[in-house]
Amino acid sequence: MNVTMPLENIYKMLSTLSVGNKKWLADHLYADIMQSQETRTKEQLALDMEMSLLEAKEFKDGHKTLKSVDALINEL
């Protein structure tokens, strides 16, 4: 069953919990956040690796040229 309610109402409801239950909920929410961030980091790493490999293949096949360090610094 899915219920939609404003965050303000959810907060009001949760504020009635005991301190122990609030701590339990906070710990679980924090664990969910950390897991979500780690997953995104791993996904981003995989995407970065894929892009790097594709770029290396393009360079190897002669479809791409590498910039000099001076050119990269000038872009910054």
Side-chain angles (χ1 to χ4, degrees):
M1 176 172 153
N2 292 331
V3 176
T4 304
M5 78 172 37
L7 286 176
E8 183 178 315
N9 291 350
I10 294 171
Y11 177 75
K12 285 179 183 177
M13 180 183 66
L14 295 176
S15 67
T16 64
L17 294 173
S18 69
V19 172
N21 285 339
K22 286 179 186 178
K23 183 175 178 351
W24 179 90
L25 180 59
D27 290 343
H28 281 77
L29 289 172
Y30 183 76
D32 285 348
I33 290 168
M34 295 307 295
Q35 182 181 7
S36 175
Q37 288 177 339
E38 289 173 7
T39 302
R40 277 189 233 123
T41 301
K42 290 175 186 175
E43 289 172 356
Q44 185 60 48
L45 177 61
L47 287 173
D48 291 345
M49 289 172 53
E50 181 181 7
M51 292 302 296
S52 297
L53 290 171
L54 289 173
E55 188 173 305
K57 184 179 183 321
E58 287 178 0
F59 174 73
K60 180 182 173 195
D61 294 343
H63 301 293
K64 185 172 186 127
T65 57
L66 297 179
K67 295 179 182 179
S68 68
V69 173
D70 290 333
L72 290 171
I73 291 172
N74 289 336
E75 286 183 12
L76 295 175

